Amino acid sequence: MIVAKYSKTNIVGAGIAGMTAAINLSKFGKSVIIYEKNKSIGSSRDGDYEGIENWIFSENLTNSKTLCGIEFNGIPKYPIFEFFVHLNGVKPLKIKSLEPFFYLVKRGDDSDSFDSYLAEVCDSLNVKFLFNKTYDINTADINATGSNHAAAYIRGAQIFTDLPNQVHLLLGKEFAPMGYAYLIINDGLGTLATAFKKSNRTNDPLNPCIDYFKNLGFDFEIKEKFASRGSFNLPKIWGIKKPITIGEAGGYQDYLFGFGMRMAMYSGLYAAYKLSGKNYQANIINHELNVKRRISYINRLLFENLSNDKFKYWVNIFEKSNKPLNILRTAYDWNWKKIIKSIKLTNNYAIRFS
Ligand SMILES: Cc1cc2nc3c(=O)[nH]c(=O)nc-3n(C[C@H](O)[C@H](O)[C@H](O)COP(=O)(O)OP(=O)(O)OC[C@H]3O[C@@H](n4cnc5c(N)ncnc54)[C@H](O)[C@@H]3O)c2cc1C
């Protein structure tokens, strides 16, 4: 079916959210222009490795053919089935899953990055990019300008190494106050980063992370350091005004661990549906996005209050489970009704927890 191109849609910001919106709008017959303040796609990013998670949304990516209207197989990515968790004073534990926990993608302007792939799809659909250009956000159709205020800070380093591919999660306030640090190695390149909440007493927590892995005997060279931040808002309960604000600019973010890419993509798809008059589909996506954002907020509050002993307890549960991904999925799939039902069940069966 040939769909007539009948109107022009202006998007500000050529990140994941903006390009996902553009791809879908274009498929729905709109003519799209993206205004990007930088000189090229991905140049606002640091070339780090990031993960497209497989647990927050109801759509399981394991057998997915598409993700938010984009061919999933085409995305340059690496499935991650296992990672190590490090807690100070405890032997690192390996967590394994039969389904990928997440898919590693490279961010930035390299030709094999996720950003470059999305740009290629945009090009194939005749989406027009205007670089080195800002646009009055108030008169745009979509604001996809990324992080605007800091809910969390990120300090990281790109590394070179001969070590084999592997992923590590490092917990503890000396490495990431109220957050977590991670080391990802893929094909000789890697990212070592810490995502944390700042306080008056916070020194740069990246250095203890570097020392920690070096002391364990990890041999790597630092190519470049970077600093960034992540934004998060709870969903607004009052009306949505023009422009539709998506991705991190709209606070679409996983507040627990900062897995914002899929949130950005779904919010881009939401905007495309909304601006194409497909309100039914738009409402379904928006509902799920808002539910997941709220859950991530509560999960975050719980996470921040975990003692070291409770961390150990949970890491052990993950290690022993043969389906650890399901634990994560359950953590993002609860509501008060389900909790009350499960309490009723435990009462019925007279199970008591000390
Ligand atoms: C270090 C780091 C690690 C992360 N790790 C993960 C991870 O492992 N998994 C995950 O899911 N998420 C991760 N995230 C979060 C994820 O990267 C973001 O949530 C996601 O990229 C947000 O997409 P976006 O399109 O909203 O913003 P961006 O991808 O940041 O794009 C915004 C674009 O808008 C442009 N722009 C800004 N202002 C203007 C303007 N006025 N005019 C024109 N253009 C403008 C910017 O240059 C940029 O190109 C990480 C974030 C960081 C910083």
Side-chain angles (χ1 to χ4, degrees):
M1 186 178 72
I2 297 170
V3 185
K5 306 245 171 190
Y6 54 86
S7 66
K8 191 167 65 182
T9 307
N10 296 309
I11 300 177
V12 189
I16 291 191
M19 287 194 282
T20 304
I23 288 165
N24 285 286
L25 279 162
S26 200
K27 286 184 179 174
F28 299 152
K30 300 271 185 189
S31 156
V32 184
I33 301 185
I34 307 187
Y35 297 83
E36 168 56 49
K37 71 173 181 185
N38 281 311
K39 63 179 189 320
S40 61
I41 295 296
S43 54
S44 68
R45 307 297 308 200
D46 302 296
D48 58 320
Y49 280 113
E50 298 184 11
I52 303 178
E53 48 68 28
N54 192 15
W55 62 80
I56 295 182
F57 291 92
S58 53
E59 184 185 18
N60 182 338
L61 293 181
T62 311
N63 301 311
S64 272
K65 297 222 172 352
T66 56
L67 172 58
C68 297
I70 290 148
E71 196 200 330
F72 192 52
N73 281 342
I75 299 173
K77 61 186 184 314
Y78 309 87
I80 299 299
F81 294 91
E82 61 177 48
F83 61 93
F84 292 87
V85 181
H86 300 247
L87 272 168
N88 233 356
V90 183
K91 193 170 156 266
L93 292 173
K94 192 198 266 188
I95 317 274
K96 284 184 294 189
S97 164
L98 293 174
E99 285 179 70
F101 284 104
F102 53 85
Y103 296 84
L104 268 194
V105 291
K106 202 196 256 184
R107 299 299 310 272
D109 53 7
D110 285 355
S111 59
D112 58 347
S113 73
F114 185 29
D115 307 67
S116 298
Y117 173 73
L118 290 177
E120 269 170 40
V121 180
C122 284
D123 283 341
S124 72
L125 293 163
N126 295 323
V127 170
K128 189 169 174 192
F129 288 99
L130 292 178
F131 292 107
N132 294 315
K133 280 265 187 291
T134 53
Y135 189 89
D136 178 8
I137 286 169
N138 298 316
T139 60
D141 297 294
I142 296 179
N143 171 5
T145 49
S147 172
N148 47 24
H149 65 273
Y153 294 83
I154 300 154
R155 295 270 299 125
Q158 314 293 9
I159 59 167
F160 289 126
T161 179
D162 291 331
L163 291 167
N165 296 352
Q166 52 197 293
V167 175
H168 299 262
L169 176 69
L170 175 56
L171 298 168
K173 60 177 183 303
E174 61 276 47
F175 306 113
M178 292 201 199
Y180 66 100
Y182 56 93
L183 170 65
I184 296 170
I185 295 174
N186 193 56
D187 290 345
L189 296 175
T191 304
L192 172 57
T194 165
F196 58 96
K197 271 197 166 173
K198 220 174 198 168
S199 76
N200 294 340
R201 285 169 294 142
T202 308
N203 296 321
D204 182 354
L206 183 61
N207 294 329
C209 299
I210 295 171
D211 293 344
Y212 176 85
F213 284 108
K214 291 265 181 196
N215 287 339
L216 280 185
F218 284 64
D219 188 17
F220 56 82
E221 211 180 291
I222 292 183
K223 181 182 159 202
E224 208 176 334
K225 287 190 179 175
F226 63 87
S228 199
R229 63 188 183 182
S231 303
F232 170 83
N233 290 334
L234 279 168
K236 292 193 170 60
I237 39 176
W238 52 92
I240 298 159
K241 288 185 291 192
K242 203 184 163 194
I244 299 182
T245 305
I246 59 172
E248 276 204 35
Y252 289 95
Q253 172 63 282
D254 159 38
Y255 197 47
L256 176 58
F257 290 137
F259 283 87
M261 285 191 289
R262 242 172 123 193
M263 289 261 176
M265 294 180 83
Y266 277 106
S267 65
L269 179 59
Y270 157 73
Y273 278 138
K274 190 87 191 158
L275 290 175
S276 307
K278 299 176 191 296
N279 288 333
Y280 175 74
Q281 291 95 325
N283 289 342
I284 290 177
I285 294 187
N286 199 33
H287 175 74
E288 182 164 17
L289 272 168
N290 289 342
V291 166
K292 300 300 179 182
R293 271 203 286 179
R294 287 195 189 98
I295 290 180
S296 83
Y297 181 75
I298 296 173
N299 285 346
R300 175 80 206 187
L301 298 184
L302 296 171
F303 175 82
E304 285 183 4
N305 285 297
L306 283 181
S307 64
N308 258 355
D309 283 347
K310 281 279 180 244
F311 267 133
K312 280 181 207 160
Y313 169 83
W314 278 106
V315 173
N316 274 310
I317 294 218
F318 273 94
E319 196 229 358
K320 290 196 173 68
S321 167
N322 52 6
K323 289 191 174 162
L325 201 50
N326 284 358
I327 303 177
L328 281 169
R329 286 184 178 140
T330 307
Y332 277 85
D333 186 30
W334 59 267
N335 56 40
W336 296 117
K337 245 196 233 160
K338 283 186 187 170
I339 289 180
I340 290 165
K341 213 167 142 194
S342 78
I343 291 171
K344 275 192 192 149
L345 273 177
T346 44
N347 284 342
N348 281 350
Y349 290 99
I351 296 169
R352 295 282 179 270
F353 298 100
S354 56

